[in-house]
Amino acid sequence: MKLNNSGYLLITEFEGFSAKPYLCSAKIPTIGYGSTYYSDNKRVTLLDKEITKVQAFEMFKTIADRFASVVSKLVTSPLNQNQFNALVSLAYNIGTGNFASSTILKKVNKNHNDITIALEFKKWNKVNKKEVAGLTKRRIYEANIYFS
């Protein structure tokens, strides 16, 4: 599967835009729409120059499509577009390694309509073991999208 426009908008809405590099809540240099590296796989640094919204969105789409490809390979259950978009949004935020070893993926692959999947989304709301209100809001929204 691939992300559709709703999937791109879901992620960019929560990531927000920054023309300049900044440290995200996990203390990782980030730019654009939550990108921690560029399309050429070069890591973002705090010394990097500003980018435009157009540059950021093109970079984001390239990177988000890579995440979508990984999620598509990891998920073995048939998903609808909303379910896929929600899972890619989660993976984009937590990383594909964390997603690959997550209970949410195990539950999705066992039964993609299992209602306890909503609870699994909500477990990914912490940075350095501290709950982050913005992540809690995002996980609730992703779970709602998944089940819509």
Side-chain angles (χ1 to χ4, degrees):
M1 287 188 84
K2 295 181 185 266
L3 280 172
N4 64 5
N5 285 337
S6 295
Y8 292 128
L9 291 173
L10 167 65
I11 299 169
T12 58
E13 186 176 308
F14 277 104
E15 293 294 339
F17 170 74
S18 178
K20 296 179 182 180
Y22 66 96
L23 286 177
C24 71
S25 58
K27 307 294 185 223
I28 298 169
T30 306
I31 197 167
Y33 293 100
S35 297
T36 57
Y37 54 93
Y38 297 95
S39 301
D40 64 0
N41 293 323
K42 179 181 167 262
R43 282 224 161 271
V44 174
T45 74
L46 294 177
L47 301 175
D48 294 344
K49 63 180 182 175
E50 285 188 33
I51 60 174
T52 67
K53 275 192 170 188
V54 171
Q55 289 171 313
F57 191 72
E58 287 307 310
M59 180 173 69
F60 161 75
K61 279 182 65 178
T62 299
I63 294 167
D65 287 345
R66 290 178 191 160
F67 277 85
S69 178
V70 172
V71 170
S72 190
K73 287 175 183 151
L74 291 171
V75 173
T76 58
S77 288
L79 299 178
N80 66 40
Q81 190 67 53
N82 285 343
Q83 290 170 324
F84 184 74
N85 290 347
L87 292 175
V88 174
S89 178
L90 176 68
Y92 187 87
N93 188 244
I94 69 172
T96 54
N98 285 329
F99 180 75
S101 63
S102 70
T103 302
I104 194 168
L105 176 61
K106 290 175 182 72
K107 287 188 175 199
V108 166
N109 283 338
K110 187 174 181 182
N111 174 7
H112 65 277
N113 291 319
D114 179 348
I115 59 169
T116 65
I117 289 169
L119 300 174
E120 295 303 320
F121 273 99
K122 295 171 188 173
K123 290 180 181 177
W124 291 94
N125 69 338
K126 296 172 187 68
V127 173
N128 297 323
K129 299 182 182 178
K130 293 186 180 177
E131 192 171 315
V132 177
L135 288 178
T136 299
K137 180 180 175 187
R138 180 176 182 160
R139 298 291 102 89
I140 291 168
Y141 194 77
E142 288 166 343
N144 288 340
I145 293 290
Y146 184 91
F147 285 104
S148 65

